[in-house]
Each structure stands twice: as structure tokens, then as C-alpha cells.
Amino acid sequence: MSESTSLPAGSVLALVQRTSLPRLVGEALENLILSGELPPGSKLNEAALAERFGVSRGPLREALRGLEENGLICQEKNRGAHVREIELAEAADIYAVRAGLDATAGRLLAQRIDAGQLAELRDFAERMQAAAGTNDVDTFHRLNLAFHDRIVEMTGNRALNEVYRRLVKQLALFRRRNLLAPQAIPHFADEHSAIVDRLAAGDGAGAAETLYAHAQGGRQRMLRDGELNGKADAA
């Protein structure tokens, strides 16, 4: 018999409340951060947040600890809690690790991809081609994130999924919407189609190589844009 089933009904309810409230508050806070409503550097006022979510400070503080462990916020003795700020050099390091994870995902998925998964990824690639044809940068950006997330998810590797999503969320703190210029997206749409072709062929090495090169291209673009913005700010 498990611990929860051996407890009185009131104790079971209290246990559920203790475990679910911090998780729900953490998810709500994460959504505020990743949507940009709480941008990097924002101070997180415990009293205001507890009132907003209708909870006591206990579950809120537990939620904040979880967000800190995932690299989304920082808690400092004299400054309190605030949304983490990521500089260009750190973002480049994270992106380099992500490129390796993308390659691993491609190698794993090529060995197990089924017809339904392949059709889903092909649909993503075709919709990205359509978005590129109309210079719809917003749609392309959304599809791009979903495409790579699904590749990782389709591997069925839980550890890979957890690490990958954590890094993607941290990169969102550097630039919430790292959008491509309209003239660049046809090239990147072609790269996504090439990735699907490698997966369809069951070519693990080719899929890994194509995904890695694609991610490294994004990293170089991020570095170039970041350096240009830095020069503009200094001017």
C-alpha cells in the first residue's frame, strides 16, 4: 500500500494540495516569463505574486525554487528574486550545447521514426515553406520552434527531452523572439525540408549532421546580430 492511500482522506487532500499548488504556480510564472510579460531583470515581488495567484507564500517560494533550478530566475540575498538575464556569450554556450542535442535527437529518431511521425514533420516543413513564400516571419518562427520540439519528443528519450526543453527556455530569456529576417527564411525552410529527407531515409548520421549544421547556423546568426546590436548601443 502506498503512503498516500494509507493516509486519512483529509491528509490525502492536504498532500495533493502541497504537491500541486507549487507546480501550478510555477507553470503560471513560467508562462509569464516566457511570454515576455515578466522580462529578464524583472523583480519578482512575493507579496504581489501571492496575491495575484491567490496562494500563500509557502507554495510560491517552492515554485520560485523550482524556477531557479531550471535556470529561469535568480534569487540573491540583497536583491531578492528576479527573472534571469542571459548575456550573449552565455547564450552562445547554451546554443552550442543545444546543437549537440539536436544532432543526438536526429540520430535517435532516424532509427525509429514511423510513417505518422514522418508525415507530421513533412507537414511542418511544407507549412514553413509556405510561410517563407509569403514572408510570414511570425508563423515561420512558431513552426520552427514546434518542429524541433517534436523531433526531440519523438525520440522518446525522457532525459533528452528534459535537458533540451530547459535549454530552449533559457535561450528564450536572451531573446524572447529571435526572429529571422524575411529574406533569410527561404534558406532555413529548405534546411528543414532537408532534415525531414534525412529522417525519411533512415540516415541517422546524415540527420545528425544536418540538424547540427542548422543549429550552428542559428548560433552564428545570433552572435552576429548580438554583436551588431552591441555596436549600435555603444554608438
Side-chain angles (χ1 to χ4, degrees), residues 4 7-22 59 62:
S4 61
L7 294 172
S11 298
V12 172
L13 178 60
L15 177 63
V16 170
Q17 289 174 333
R18 285 199 306 272
T19 55
S20 63
L21 262 182
E62 191 171 338

Side-chain angles (χ1 to χ4, degrees), residues 54-110:
V55 298
S56 66
R57 294 201 184 189
L60 176 64
R61 286 172 178 166
E62 191 171 338
L64 291 175
R65 284 194 292 271
L67 291 174
E68 184 176 28
E69 290 175 359
N70 286 325
L72 293 180
I73 73 168
C74 292
Q75 299 194 76
E76 301 174 7
K77 185 174 182 180
N78 297 323
R79 191 181 175 189
H82 59 277
V83 179
R84 186 177 170 198
E85 296 179 276
I86 293 181
E87 301 298 330
L88 178 61
E90 184 179 3
D93 287 344
I94 295 172
Y95 222 121
V97 175
R98 182 196 155 179
L101 296 178
D102 279 327
T104 299
R107 185 177 293 107
L108 292 174
L109 183 57

